[in-house]
Every structure is written in C-alpha cells, then in structure tokens.
Amino acid sequence: MLYTINKSPLMFGNLKSVLRVAPTGDPILLYEDGVYAAVKGAASEDLLAAAVADHPLYALKADLDARGLVSLADGVQVIDYDGFVELVEQHQVVPWL
Amino acid sequence: MLYTINKSPLMFGNLKSVLRVAPTGDPILLYEDGVYAAVKGAASEDLLAAAVADHPLYALKADLDARGLVSLADGVQVIDYDGFVELVEQHQVVPWL
Amino acid sequence: MGETVAVLMRKAPYGSVYTAEGFRSMMGIGVFEMDVSVVFVDDGVYALVKGQDPAGLDMKPLGDAFPVLADFGVTKFYVHDDSLTERGLTPDDLVMDVEIVDGAGAAQVLESAGLVLPF
Amino acid sequence: MGETVAVLMRKAPYGSVYTAEGFRSMMGIGVFEMDVSVVFVDDGVYALVKGQDPAGLDMKPLGDAFPVLADFGVTKFYVHDDSLTERGLTPDDLVMDVEIVDGAGAAQVLESAGLVLPF
Amino acid sequence: MKMGVLVLEGPYQHEAADSAYHFVRAALARGHEITGIFLYTDGVNNANGYIKPPGERNIGQRFSELGAEGIPVVACTACARFRGFRRDMVSENVSLSGLGALSEYLRESDRFVTFGD
Amino acid sequence: MKMGVLVLEGPYQHEAADSAYHFVRAALARGHEITGIFLYTDGVNNANGYIKPPGERNIGQRFSELGAEGIPVVACTACARFRGFRRDMVSENVSLSGLGALSEYLRESDRFVTFGD
C-alpha cells in the first residue's frame, strides 16, 4: 500500500510512527509539510535514511517548490501530481494524517 | 511567563521544544491534548520529569477528566479553569501551540 | 469494488473532532452493511481508555460509545501493541475487548480491507 | 498597557494558514504603531527560507514578503539558533538579516514584549 | 480506475482542500473516473458558495466547477448543521447529503484517498 | 485585570473555541474585564448565527451570549470573505472588523491569551 505523510518530521511523530507499521517495500509519499523530511542535512535525515532503506520514497514537487526545498537527501524521488496519481493506480492508499 | 502546551507528547514535539526556550522557574500548563504528558508510566514520562525538575507544572482538570486520565506523574499539579486564570493573573502567557 | 473498509484511528479524542467523526463514520458505513475493520494506532488508542468524563467540557463521552458499534455490524477492533505500551496502557485499561496486533498485524488489516478511512 | 507585542512564529508555511496570517497580523498591528518583535522558533524558521515558489499550488510566496514588514514599522526579527541548525539551515539560507538567538535569548524577547501572539 | 475522495478540512486553514483539488485534477487528466468527493467535518466549508478571496484562488469555486463537470460533490448534512452552514449557502453543483453518500463512493471505488490534517 | 483573547480555530473541529469560552467564563467569575475576543482565521466561524448542533453545546450561541453581556466579540472581516462568511450570517452581539480591533485589544490588555491549534 501507499503510505502518505503530510506532517513535518521534527515537530510531528508521523514519519517515525509510519515506519513501525508500513511493511518493507511499500512506498511512502511525502506531501504538504511532509516534504520537509526530504531535505539534506536536517536532524531528521537519519529517519529519512531509515525510510529509504526499506521503502521507495517519493516527495511531491509542488510542495517542495513552494517551500524552497532544493537540496534533497539521497534516495528521494521527486514526483508531480501526475506521479502521485500513478502511485495510487498501483497501490491502495493509507493516509497517515 | 506561563508557557501553555495543548498537544500530546508522543506525536508532537511541542513539550520537548518548549523546554529549550522556557527559562527555569517559569510555569508550564498542560491543557487540551497536552494533558496526556501528565500521565504516569508513558514513554513521555522522562520528558515530563525534565519539565518538572525545572518548572512548576500544571495540568487542567477538565481536560484530564475528559480523557479519563487519573494516574498522574509525580510533581503534576492539577488545577481547574479558575486556577488557569489565576496563573494568567501572575504571568504573561506564551501559548506554545 | 469496495465492500470492505478499514477505519484507521490515530488521533486523541476531544482535542479535535476526528475521533468523534471517525466513530460516527463507522456507524454510518456499518449501517450500509459494509465490512468495517477498525485499527487504533498512535494517539488513537486513547479513544478507548476507560473512565472518560468530558462533562466539565460540556461534551459527550466517546470511549463508552465504541462497544455500541456492534449494533451497527462493526465488530472487528484492532489495537497496535507498541502504541498501547508506550502510553503506559494495557488491554485492561480499555473499554472493550480488542485484538492486540503488532505493526505488521496492523498493516495486514489495512491491506486486507483495501480502502482506508483515516481519522 | 500593551504597547509592545511579540509575534511567535512556530509553524511551517503553506501547510496551514498560520504563517500567512501571522505575517498579516504583523502588518496590521505594525500599522497601528505598536512595537512588534518577531521570534521564529521550530518549524517557524521555514517561513524565512529563500526561493519559495508556490506557483504550482496557486498560492502566493510568503518568504520574500517578510522584508516588506519594515515599511510597516516591523524591524525586529529573531531566529532561534537550534531550530535553524537542526533543519540544516544557516542564516545565509534566509531571505533577510535576522538576529540569531539561543533559547534564553528567544525567551527574553518574549518576556520583554509581554504580550505574545502565537502563529 | 474509479477513485473516491474524502476532504476533512475547510478552505485556506489547511492545505488539505488544495491537495484534494490538485489530486482530482491530475486523476481526471489521467483518465480516471471520480466516483465522488465527500466533504466531511470542516470539509463542508469548501462547499460554501459565498467564498470571495480577494486576489487568491477560490477554493469554493473549484469544488463547484468539479461538480459542474459531473463529479458528485457532496457535503455532510450533519456537519453542516454544526457549522451553521445552511442549504442556501451551498455552491452550485454541490449538494448536502448523509454518510450514505460516503458509503456509496467507497463501494463504487477502486481507490479512495483522504485529505485532512 | 484587563484580558484579551484571540481564537484561531472554528467550532467543533478543534477544542480551541471551547477552551477560549471556558477561560473567559472563569476570568469573568474572578472579576476580570475582557477587553475583547478577536475571532481570526477559521475562528471567524464561531461567529456564525446559524450553528444548530443537535443535542450538543452551541458554540456559536456561547460567543453571542458573551457579546450580549457587553464583551466585544469581533470576527476578522478579511478572513470572513475567504470563508464565505457573510455579514448577514453573523450572530447577534458579534460584529465584523479588521486587525485594528485586535491592536486595540492588545493595547488595552494587561494579559492576552490565544487559543488555536
């Protein structure tokens, strides 16, 4: 299934928590404030690396651009809304709000 | 000043973050979902103990009762809305929303 | 396609309307004879804590209402073990009998249902 | 009594309206000639990151607007050092010059102002 | 594919309504059918026909336009009563209904996506 | 003392409006003067006179009652336009105004408390 995260990683436990449930191999999408987890050099980078080790990890371009985030951690795949829909074609969705 | 926390401690970083700013001796009030930090035996208890070590710590009775929280960690002082107002008489307020 | 649905409860009650409306959606969907599973993870487990008394907030208690869902055909309740434990709670602290699952078990319930409604 | 006020910015922009309305409140209060200090802590520091382009969301950029506040008499900006550092940011990443303060410094600004508006 | 959408937050306060709209537009562009958009809790406020944001995107109008294109856009009746949102405020091509509509969209959908906070 | 209050969330979705109401009632009971209650962002929805929650506390009516007791209760005009909240929906003893009202309450208050999310 596709797990989606819309909260920032340093003030919300959502990304940390989803890793306890999402099975290895299931994709994770960062969107809205969730995209802050995709940046390089933040204190959340270890968490992101743990996510990338076990899951295909995507971040939504429109939300990255809005927030001025250009320097992304290794393993993050940037997709647009068309890509979001494509992931939903391939997977059922678990919004981890 | 009176720092007020309305978010739960295991899913939100608010309590952890306020401890980096609130000066020693300034009181902290837990209300709304913030009162979950006041319970005994939760994984947030160390954080609560750190708060209690440096700050008078209060939890709002109406919010504790609503959530069925009866077993509270040491050092938590339970107050009602009258007590909330009394704290505001004594201190300016920093809502750490 | 979707005759089965999982309601995923991850938020604490009273602080926001999510718990109450998650509950109401289960009644609403259950009454239309869909096969509903309910999974409590993270702060969502607080919804089931015994002894909730929001009279001081002029609100209605939520916890005690959950067992009533059986009347609407909603009978499958799963609680995530670590979420419970890290909150200092045990199954005895909850208003009803539930099945305790680990992370993989919770994921399995969501996957079996297919469609997921998060609250 | 309150001729001075501190606006406390703790939330990330775009995900909620808080940043935008915190900004608007500063203009509104500044124009009424109150003495406004602005403190950025936690995700609030993201409000000042350079290069924000929300065109894809059909929204207006927020970051570049902050320097305009000087025209409304709002000129005192403080950024919490640890909040910046743990986000992998340096002062060079921000849209304007600000004063970097530690936790105690941030608390001092809030205390000096007395009244605090949180966004 | 058939996709249903649930929106749990109102306009402007959170990004949820925007995200839902962009997702629906992208899904339509890829040829999918939207079985329905259910506006629940504060989400009902996206159905308000009087939204007039000076110089900004009109989120209310966006959902009305999706309705005009034949997509069922339905706001929860009970939630509307709690929020003082009356039937005469509902924007064109949007309607009020109960949780039966949500059940119907779930039943008809291959995928279901919720946007909230 | 003179105390001002700011509300940043609407009715029912979050506890903020409830907390603000209980705080104001307790402050009045202790003999304080409320300089004003400013309803900002989604907080404006608390000023809706058509709120009709079946069998539940009426949050809209509560703010209207505080207004009837002489406390200035003001909802932000611009926020209202963004939310389709029209002047004819405003409950009795509540009014719409700009950020000048917020500035005034700040200026007049010894204490200021914000409720939001």
Side-chain angles (χ1 to χ4, degrees), chain F residues 52-116:
Chain F
K52 292 272 183 307
E56 291 263 5
R57 69 203 184 285
N58 189 323
I59 295 178
Q61 190 180 316
R62 287 180 163 184
F63 284 96
S64 179
E65 285 168 4
L66 290 171
E69 294 171 29
I71 296 168
V73 182
V74 165
C76 160
T77 308
C79 308
R81 293 185 65 184
F82 270 81
R83 287 160 181 82
F85 183 69
R86 297 191 313 175
R87 201 165 285 274
D88 61 297
M89 302 172 191
V90 179
S91 55
E92 284 188 66
N93 304 301
V94 176
S95 58
L96 293 178
S97 187
L99 286 163
L102 174 59
S103 297
E104 189 186 319
Y105 304 154
L106 285 165
R107 215 180 276 276
E108 292 173 354
S109 298
D110 303 303
R111 297 288 184 273
F112 201 86
V113 189
T114 300
F115 295 90

Side-chain angles (χ1 to χ4, degrees), chain F residues 26-59:
Chain F
L28 293 171
R30 284 182 68 87
H32 298 296
E33 176 188 341
I34 303 296
T35 52
I37 301 173
F38 194 73
L39 307 173
Y40 197 41
T41 68
D42 259 10
V44 299
N45 291 324
N46 295 300
N48 188 315
Y50 297 121
I51 292 173
K52 292 272 183 307
E56 291 263 5
R57 69 203 184 285
N58 189 323
I59 295 178

Side-chain angles (χ1 to χ4, degrees), chain A residues 13-88:
Chain A
N14 298 40
L15 178 56
K16 189 174 175 189
S17 137
V18 83
L19 296 180
R20 303 196 302 190
V21 171
T24 299
D26 280 13
I28 294 175
L29 169 66
L30 307 173
Y31 71 115
E32 298 181 359
D33 287 342
V35 298
Y36 285 113
V39 300
K40 204 184 192 72
S44 53
E45 205 172 355
D46 287 355
L47 193 60
L48 198 274
V52 167
D54 286 342
H55 305 273
L57 198 130
Y58 303 89
L60 194 62
K61 185 173 192 306
D63 283 316
L64 288 167
D65 289 350
R67 291 159 180 84
L69 308 181
V70 288
S71 180
L72 304 186
D74 291 343
V76 175
Q77 301 174 60
V78 178
I79 59 172
D80 57 14
Y81 266 101
D82 183 75
F84 184 176
V85 175
E86 196 176 348
L87 283 172
V88 174

